[in-house]
Amino acid sequence: MKVHPSPRKSSGGVLLAAGALVAAASGCSGSDAEAKALSWHNPHLNAISRPVGAGGVSAVTGLRPDGTLETVAVETATGKRLWAYPATMAGRLPGLGVQAPAVAEDGGRPVVAAVEPLPRKRGRWNALLVAREGRTGARLWERPVHSTFGPQRCGTALCVSEHTALRRARFVALDPATGRELWRVPGVADVAHADSGRVVLLRLVRSPLIEARDLATGKAAWRLPVEAALGRGVDLSGGWSFGTAGGDLVTYVAPYTDPRTRRVSPFGMFSARLADGRLNWMRPSVVRVYPSGSPGVAPVVRPVDQNGRYGGFAHLDARSGRVIGQITAQQVPGSGWWLAFPNDLSVLGFLKHNAEGAAYDLRTGARPRHRAQRGWSFCVTDPAPAPIKGQPGFYSIAALCEFDLATGKRTKDSTSPPPAWFTGGDNGWRLWRDQKGGLHALKDGTATSPGMYG
């Protein structure tokens, strides 16, 4: 479960994790240029999770006006609303953010799985995991659950951690067509990476493990203790995230301060080979900054010394872990700023709302030659929790807006979509939510890659 960071006010430190359609297309016809310009906007829903998709269908968790949740499925190519059914969260932790549905493919047919409320209480069960045909919404199967963090796609299967609030928690892999259990392992786990033959898990055991398993049988192929990369005493309560760089898995573990001892657990970023789990590189004691790209695509980090003091900022090469660009701690302005990056992450901007900020070339550490600089940052830096009925403390997934760093104001003349390092891409499509919860899509040929949220 990746922690979805919500921006908070900082004291000079980095931001940490704590249907009618409006369509536009080019005038070209029957050409690649037309495909590149294909876009849509569906403002008639309030998306509060990240969108996910497969098989031509995209799905998102939405918030209804009455405060209840719903799973909404749309056609990826057009944004047309296909169906919506009630959704809920049962035992999910607020720090994990609002869960998205999971969309898998069954022989090319999309299957959408989501946690739905029980019509009435059934003994120890609190909710249902329901799988629906992606285009029609027809119910394929259901599975009662006591508590869960929500379903995930894992290659050609669906995976879910069940009974997460109980001692007998378990992680199961399911056939998306029938719901038949393929295999299980004890405890809670998160899907770090999956393909057609193997799934790589982060297992939330006493000594956390990254573990590769055969997708069909569940047989373990290799295991890597997280402590082998970051040191003893790792605590995953601060959050984590993943990304892939070629044949490598890049993992980030956030710091966690024990409220009793005030000790900070080991944290940082490291890379391991997907083939055998062998460590490639380690960067302990760095924090991932937000907004920024996926750890596996464009990791931007900030070192922290043993006394808790922040250093400068560094852009790492995801394949080697080497620093490919940085600015020093002395270049960081005082307080009251927020990070902002352009589309290519070449400039590190310090945004001050309604005031002049600062910018540095992240490759050279020098001030850019041109004074006029724009950057993408969080639209809202002090958000309110989403008003979900009976589920306090959850925040909508953040949206990005473009700002003029010279004035600290949003740009009014820009119609550009958020950068690909934020949205990611899936078979040429990019999907994202705006500040009001509307869903946007752009088909621009972006290669399949994770965004900031995976």
Side-chain angles (χ1 to χ4, degrees), residues 281 295 297 299 315-324:
W281 55 264
V297 177
H315 186 185
L316 305 180
D317 183 298
R319 297 299 299 271
S320 66
R322 293 194 302 265
V323 174
I324 57 178

Side-chain angles (χ1 to χ4, degrees), residues 267 284-287 301-305 309-314:
F267 59 95
S285 301
V286 298
V287 293
V301 299
R302 195 173 188 189
V304 184
D305 67 19
R309 291 188 294 261
Y310 288 102
F313 291 83

